Amino acid sequence: MNATISSIEAILVDLPTIRAHQLAMATMQQQTLVIVRLRCSDGVEGIGEATTIGGLSYGDESPEGIKLTIDTYLAPALKGVDATNVHAAMARLDKVARGNRFAKCALETALLDAQGKRLGVPVSTLLGGAVRTALPTLWTLASGDTQRDIEEAERWLGERRHDTFKLKIGRRSVREDVAHVSAIKRALGDRARVTVDINQAWNEAEAATGIAMLEAAGIDLIEQPVPREQRAALARLAARFVVPIMADETLMGPEDALDLVRGACADVFALKIMKSGGLYGTLRTAAVGDAGGMALYGGTMLEGSVGTLAAAHCFATLPRLAWGTELFGPLLVKDDIVVERPVYRDFCLHLPQGPGLGIAIDEDKLAHYRRS
Ligand code: MUC
Ligand code: MG
């Protein structure tokens, strides 16, 4: 097989959200995607995406920085390189640039999409094969209003779109947050699983108080209660409470996974293809967690359809995925830049069966939403 990389384009795309999405560190009114188009000498084009949350408020790569890194450093390093050898291309990028995991994830995704199209197989097949084609997917209630969140949950339960809800807390006092969460859990009862994500907003004492109350209210999972650097505090909380504690911001790649396993810092790992610098990195992170007895969860950076389906192909290959996924990003935006939007039904995201990622760019929509 003979195909080299001819050109790489990184495009900033701004999509409005269906409502304000309130997290501890940012309120989102739109989501910015960095869409990568990787063109090869055999005429095949691969698509990738790098996405973060709230500019620089979540991670240390911003959409604008990711585009600059790709345009200035990563794309030139890949020009003329064998497009069919994903590992060799990524090793070259690791020599040119340290870190920059989100940018690398977009390029690895585009290489895998191109190779899948070239061979006529889905990305999950390139990764060894999907063990599931339907991924349980939760919805995040983050309107900032308790009654509106309950109505939203009732609607998605009724339509069989989601039966697990994650609440973003940490903006208000611990007592106010617990009252908000408890009211939603009381309204939904045993019909839905309710989890919370504090996004690092509590100190250890606040976390001890808050988690005790959330546990009593019947909450199923507590995500990243304390700052990512405070792994010893996370370990003490994981040892103290029965309700499982999930590591998110403190877990990037396999090296973090090893440290968190050694320190018994959590019960569950939130995997994200952005944090692990790509799909293969995510599989390595998952393998370390799995070997260390961590339950696995398919996380999101609220990617659009391209990034979400890349993650879906990856998570579909994991033998164990006890906590399902939160791959609902495409449902949070009003419009999309792909021809066919991902399919959500019966509480699951359904994996496309076509070659590569199984999606095509809608050129008119891309032209409309791209930042010029
Ligand atoms: C996070 O921290 O997990 C996931 C769902 C959501 O609403 O925000 C993300 C980020
Ligand atoms: Mg999180």
Side-chain angles (χ1 to χ4, degrees):
M1 186 142 315
N2 202 349
T4 56
I5 299 170
S6 321
S7 70
I8 293 173
E9 192 185 359
I11 306 162
L12 290 168
V13 177
D14 295 312
L15 294 176
T17 54
I18 54 169
R19 57 151 166 74
H21 197 64
Q22 293 195 3
L23 298 84
M25 75 312 247
T27 298
M28 298 166 58
Q29 305 281 358
Q30 63 165 37
Q31 179 57 309
T32 302
L33 325 174
V34 186
I35 296 293
V36 163
R37 306 189 81 157
L38 180 142
R39 297 181 180 101
C40 307
S41 60
D42 57 354
V44 175
E45 181 187 62
I47 309 293
E49 177 186 328
T51 290
T52 187
I53 293 171
L56 277 172
S57 62
Y58 194 101
D60 44 21
E61 288 170 75
S62 68
E64 297 77 12
I66 291 167
K67 176 172 163 50
L68 181 90
T69 300
I70 293 174
D71 290 349
T72 313
Y73 297 101
L74 305 185
L78 287 184
K79 194 148 187 196
V81 160
D82 181 357
T84 68
N85 190 332
V86 180
H87 287 329
M90 296 310 292
R92 194 177 174 99
L93 290 187
D94 283 338
K95 279 204 173 143
V96 172
R98 290 185 188 278
N100 290 281
R101 293 161 182 265
F102 291 35
K104 287 176 183 171
C105 177
L107 292 166
E108 192 198 71
T109 300
L111 284 162
L112 284 166
D113 182 43
Q115 184 66 353
K117 287 171 176 163
R118 192 171 286 122
L119 299 178
V121 296
V123 166
S124 55
T125 301
L126 293 179
L127 299 179
V131 295
R132 61 186 75 74
T133 55
L135 296 132
T137 299
L138 63 68
W139 175 252
T140 295
L141 299 169
S143 73
D145 179 81
T146 309
Q147 198 48 43
R148 185 163 173 195
D149 282 356
I150 292 172
E151 283 159 22
E152 231 179 73
E154 290 291 0
R155 177 167 177 207
W156 301 137
L157 263 176
E159 293 187 14
R160 294 179 58 80
R161 207 179 77 174
H162 307 280
D163 60 1
T164 302
F165 300 96
K166 162 160 142 174
L167 313 191
K168 303 298 272 189
I169 58 174
R171 288 171 78 87
R172 297 176 282 198
S173 71
V174 174
R175 276 179 196 286
E176 282 171 315
D177 272 341
V178 170
H180 166 75
V181 174
S182 306
I184 293 174
K185 179 62 192 168
R186 263 198 313 278
L188 301 177
D190 291 337
R191 294 177 297 140
R193 249 189 341 190
V194 175
T195 72
V196 298
D197 189 355
I198 297 106
N199 283 118
Q200 320 183 66
W202 287 344
N203 62 36
E204 189 175 355
E206 289 169 326
T209 310
I211 296 171
M213 292 191 280
L214 291 168
E215 196 172 58
I219 299 314
D220 289 287
L221 181 67
I222 311 286
E223 181 173 344
Q224 197 67 50
V226 292
R228 65 178 182 184
E229 300 80 10
Q230 294 175 19
R231 290 183 176 167
L234 201 60
R236 285 189 288 272
L237 295 166
R240 181 168 176 168
F241 293 103
V242 173
V243 59
I245 306 288
M246 180 154 75
D248 183 9
E249 286 90 329
T250 193
L251 170 68
M252 298 291 278
E255 299 78 10
D256 291 319
L258 189 56
D259 196 48
L260 293 164
V261 163
R262 282 196 177 126
C265 300
D267 306 287
V268 186
F269 275 1
L271 305 166
K272 295 183 183 176
I273 60 168
M274 296 298 148
K275 295 192 301 176
S276 287
L279 283 65
Y280 286 111
T282 303
L283 297 181
R284 286 196 292 275
T285 306
V288 175
D290 201 28
M294 296 285 168
L296 302 179
Y297 172 81
T300 179
M301 290 301 291
L302 301 177
E303 293 95 347
S305 293
V306 176
T308 294
L309 290 177
H313 280 282
C314 177
F315 298 151
T317 70
L318 292 171
R320 279 175 289 280
L321 189 64
W323 286 89
T325 80
E326 56 178 15
L327 292 177
F328 67 87
L331 299 170
L332 189 63
V333 285
K334 272 192 191 142
D335 204 357
D336 211 328
I337 52 145
V338 294
V339 177
E340 280 181 48
R341 297 184 86 169
V343 175
Y344 292 87
R345 83 178 123 73
D346 292 330
F347 310 115
C348 289
L349 164 63
H350 293 262
L351 199 64
Q353 298 302 305
L357 294 173
I359 36 166
I361 293 287
D362 181 323
E363 301 294 346
D364 293 337
K365 291 277 180 70
L366 181 63
H368 180 74
Y369 288 110
R370 69 183 289 162
R371 227 183 265 180
S372 48

